[in-house]
Amino acid sequence: MVDFLLIKPVYYDEGGKLDLTTSLERVPPLGLGYVAASCKDFSVKILDMEAKEIKTRDVWEEIKKHAPRIIGITVISSTIEQVKKICEIIKKNSKIKVILGGPHAILDPESLIKMSDYVVCGEAEIMINDLLHYLINKRGDLTKIKNLLYIKNKKLIYTEKNLIKNLDDIPFPKRELWNKQDYFHFFAKKRPYTSVITSRGCPYQCIYCTPIYNIRRRSVENVIKEIKKIIYEFNTTDIEFFDETFNLGEKWVIDFCKRVIEEKIKINWRARCRPDLVTEESTKMMKEAGCYMISLGVESANDSTLKFFNKGYIIRQVENAIKIIKKNKMELHAYFIIGSPTEDKKKTLNTINFSIKKPFDYVIFSILTPQPGTKLMQTALRNNWLQDSKIDYNKTKGYCYPIMDHPNLTREEIMKLHKNATINFFIRPKRMINILKKILFNKGIEKERVIKTIFNYLLSKR
């Protein structure tokens, strides 16, 4: 028996068919690891359904093995349907209380409360231990537990919202609760790899992003301590920094890199950065400290679209960042978004051609998709851009299907542009050779899965 079972639903699971060959990564459940570490008075297990290849319809058999007293499930918008089915299965077979949390619970908690008993609509670390005491030991006052939504007398009850002020106070994620060999990433240099966050929140206000503007950063000392623990206790040296913006605050970045260099900490790592914050000094230090790849959120090659996205930078700053990164001989990965209602086909092709001509090693193209609680959703509703009054989040998986009406392009045209953008980028000989080398020589990936993913994408209608 376990007090608390945390579940990460499988991402692709339609009609009982489990498809594990449609992405190039399997990411450790870092968020659940943080939650587990904060349950200091209770026994906890993590069930990653994708890692263990468990179909939604078969989840009860796995739950029975753990015999949990309480179940917690993390929810992103694209897994709402799976979560709904899991909750139905739990309620059908038991009286176990279900707690839902995660990104979608913060964005739209009321969409989840009817399928569960409680929704954690803020950071869970500051309240989860108290909630478990209330549910298991009948101890405490429910109304005083932070970041919670529940129903009482048919009324929605929200408790006080609160953010963690000092991230150094949070225990490190309980990585021992998952098998490190279950996880891989196409960009990783070797296996096992893991992810680390050095900050939470983002001060910028891009229209399509989760509105959490309160930026809080861990101390360099605290991050270094976690990295040492990862190396010595989990024998892992490949790290992805999962911050929204790793290079936010040049001094912090330089101080961190200096510590890594001075203490001769041997890690291979990559991070997501803002183009306008890329500098010569910080990039050089990152390279010396073991950073081999930087991911840039470029999004568009058109200044008018960047302005609509509220990015806060222009394409000239992106070009400057590219020069600095390549000068330091680092791999360069970029995110692009197409399907903005502000663009016609010519502007969309300008972004695609920009990605092809610039020295990016890898790119990911997404279709602009409104998420609940974002400024883009408000704008879409105000302008009647949504094709359906109720969003089918199954269609938003991978952000490769347009769910908004476009004034200049049909849905089919956007999908064709999206697919051709990826193909035309990677069809260049140098990039094809690079992909082939990764498949043949990189120890950090699942070769069979990568090959299947590539062929599935080429043969798909999307």
Side-chain angles (χ1 to χ4, degrees):
M1 175 181 284
V2 66
D3 292 323
F4 194 28
L5 178 64
L6 290 164
I7 299 177
K8 179 184 176 183
V10 70
Y11 193 71
Y12 292 101
D13 183 18
E14 300 176 3
K17 180 182 178 183
L18 188 61
D19 187 353
L20 298 174
T21 63
T22 49
S23 72
L24 299 174
E25 63 184 20
R26 188 185 295 139
V27 182
L30 190 69
L32 294 185
Y34 269 112
V35 174
S38 298
C39 300
K40 58 185 178 181
D41 300 324
F42 301 92
S43 59
V44 187
K45 295 287 185 182
I46 292 177
L47 173 60
D48 185 335
M49 293 175 62
E50 182 179 1
K52 298 306 176 186
E53 300 187 10
I54 299 168
K55 299 175 185 177
T56 298
R57 67 183 184 186
D58 298 329
V59 72
W60 180 246
E61 291 302 313
E62 193 66 29
I63 290 173
K64 284 197 300 183
K65 295 177 185 178
H66 296 284
R69 302 171 77 175
I70 307 293
I71 293 176
I73 308 173
T74 185
V75 193
I76 59 175
S77 298
S78 298
T79 59
I80 285 178
E81 290 304 314
Q82 286 96 311
V83 171
K84 183 179 180 181
K85 291 174 185 175
I86 293 170
C87 290
E88 289 173 351
I89 290 169
I90 294 169
K91 295 303 180 184
K92 179 182 177 181
N93 290 282
S94 72
K95 294 183 179 180
I96 300 172
K97 296 293 184 184
V98 176
I99 305 166
L100 299 185
H104 191 86
I106 294 173
L107 290 171
D108 189 12
E110 292 182 19
S111 67
L112 302 176
I113 189 60
K114 289 184 179 179
M115 64 179 78
S116 63
D117 298 289
Y118 303 93
V119 177
V120 178
C121 47
E123 291 174 317
E125 291 91 344
I126 59 175
M127 50 74 71
I128 192 63
N129 198 66
D130 291 337
L131 181 56
L132 292 181
H133 269 300
Y134 177 83
L135 295 175
I136 293 173
N137 299 324
K138 312 302 179 187
R139 194 177 90 189
D141 184 346
L142 189 62
T143 64
K144 293 182 179 179
I145 298 175
K146 314 290 187 187
N147 301 337
L148 196 61
L149 169 63
Y150 60 95
I151 296 176
K152 184 177 182 180
N153 298 326
K154 298 183 180 180
K155 291 184 178 181
L156 295 176
I157 307 295
Y158 282 94
T159 63
E160 180 186 348
K161 288 283 188 75
N162 207 346
L163 284 173
I164 299 165
K165 292 180 177 63
N166 185 0
L167 298 185
D168 286 5
D169 293 338
I170 309 173
F172 299 148
K174 297 198 76 169
R175 291 181 170 86
E176 63 269 28
L177 293 183
W178 61 75
N179 182 353
K180 63 185 181 182
Q181 295 298 339
D182 285 342
Y183 303 95
F184 69 95
H185 199 293
F186 186 75
F187 294 154
K189 282 189 172 292
K190 59 191 242 181
R191 198 169 177 179
Y193 100 97
T194 195
S195 50
V196 171
I197 61 165
T198 73
S199 64
R200 290 189 182 184
C202 179
Y204 302 98
Q205 300 184 28
C206 304
I207 63 167
Y208 47 77
C209 276
T210 305
I212 301 179
Y213 308 132
N214 300 77
I215 180 71
R216 294 146 294 151
R217 190 139 214 176
R218 298 167 59 190
S219 67
V220 169
E221 179 64 37
N222 188 252
V223 176
I224 292 293
K225 186 177 179 182
E226 181 181 5
I227 290 173
K228 288 180 178 179
K229 181 181 177 71
I230 289 169
I231 294 171
Y232 299 122
E233 293 187 20
F234 301 102
N235 193 28
T236 299
T237 56
D238 197 291
I239 294 172
E240 176 183 20
F241 287 103
F242 219 61
D243 302 57
E244 296 291 336
T245 308
F246 179 81
N247 64 336
L248 187 64
E250 184 179 30
K251 184 181 183 304
W252 190 98
V253 174
I254 292 172
D255 288 347
F256 168 76
C257 292
K258 282 182 178 178
R259 283 291 301 277
V260 172
I261 295 164
E262 289 168 0
E263 299 196 27
K264 298 180 180 180
I265 299 172
K266 301 300 181 182
I267 51 174
N268 297 308
W269 56 279
R270 57 196 183 279
R272 294 181 286 186
C273 297
R274 267 183 72 93
D276 57 321
L277 299 181
V278 172
T279 66
E280 289 275 4
E281 185 180 3
S282 63
T283 305
K284 183 179 179 181
M285 292 294 293
M286 288 170 68
K287 170 72 173 180
E288 192 175 345
C291 181
Y292 62 90
M293 175 186 283
I294 288 178
S295 295
L296 294 179
V298 178
E299 319 307 7
S300 175
N302 304 299
D303 284 337
S304 58
T305 302
L306 293 175
K307 185 176 181 180
F308 172 68
F309 289 164
N310 200 30
K311 293 303 297 183
Y313 54 75
I314 57 177
I315 198 63
R316 178 173 53 80
Q317 292 170 294
V318 174
E319 292 172 328
N320 183 58
I322 293 170
K323 289 178 183 177
I324 292 172
I325 293 165
K326 280 303 174 182
K327 178 182 176 182
N328 284 277
K329 298 181 180 180
M330 300 167 77
E331 290 184 90
L332 181 54
H333 163 244
Y335 297 97
F336 290 94
I337 298 173
I338 62 175
S340 171
T342 61
E343 291 189 348
D344 55 16
K345 187 174 182 179
K346 183 178 179 181
K347 285 188 175 180
T348 302
L349 289 173
N350 183 50
T351 292
I352 295 170
N353 290 332
F354 178 88
S355 75
I356 293 170
K357 292 176 182 177
K358 295 298 179 182
F360 297 110
D361 298 287
Y362 308 98
V363 297
I364 294 177
F365 286 94
S366 301
I367 293 175
L368 187 62
T369 304
Q371 296 292 335
T374 62
K375 291 183 178 179
L376 177 59
M377 177 63 81
Q378 296 171 9
T379 304
L381 291 170
R382 189 168 59 248
N383 291 283
N384 296 315
W385 286 344
L386 290 179
Q387 296 168 354
D388 301 297
S389 58
K390 185 179 180 182
I391 295 177
D392 181 356
Y393 286 107
N394 275 324
K395 289 183 178 179
T396 68
K397 292 186 194 309
Y399 300 99
C400 58
Y401 185 86
I403 65 171
M404 290 194 300
D405 288 321
H406 196 288
N408 303 303
L409 299 168
T410 65
R411 190 182 310 185
E412 290 71 25
E413 285 176 319
I414 293 172
M415 290 170 66
K416 186 176 181 180
L417 283 166
H418 176 256
K419 184 169 184 176
N420 287 343
T422 302
I423 293 173
N424 289 331
F425 177 87
F426 284 107
I427 206 168
R428 270 50 185 177
K430 184 178 179 180
R431 290 173 180 138
M432 291 179 68
I433 291 170
N434 195 27
I435 295 288
L436 185 60
K437 283 181 178 178
K438 273 219 178 261
I439 293 173
L440 292 175
F441 305 115
N442 195 320
K443 297 179 180 180
I445 64 173
E446 288 189 359
K447 293 177 172 55
E448 183 179 346
R449 176 168 172 154
V450 169
I451 294 169
K452 283 183 178 180
T453 299
I454 293 171
F455 277 100
N456 283 353
Y457 184 80
L458 293 173
L459 296 174
S460 69
K461 293 181 181 180
R462 289 188 180 181

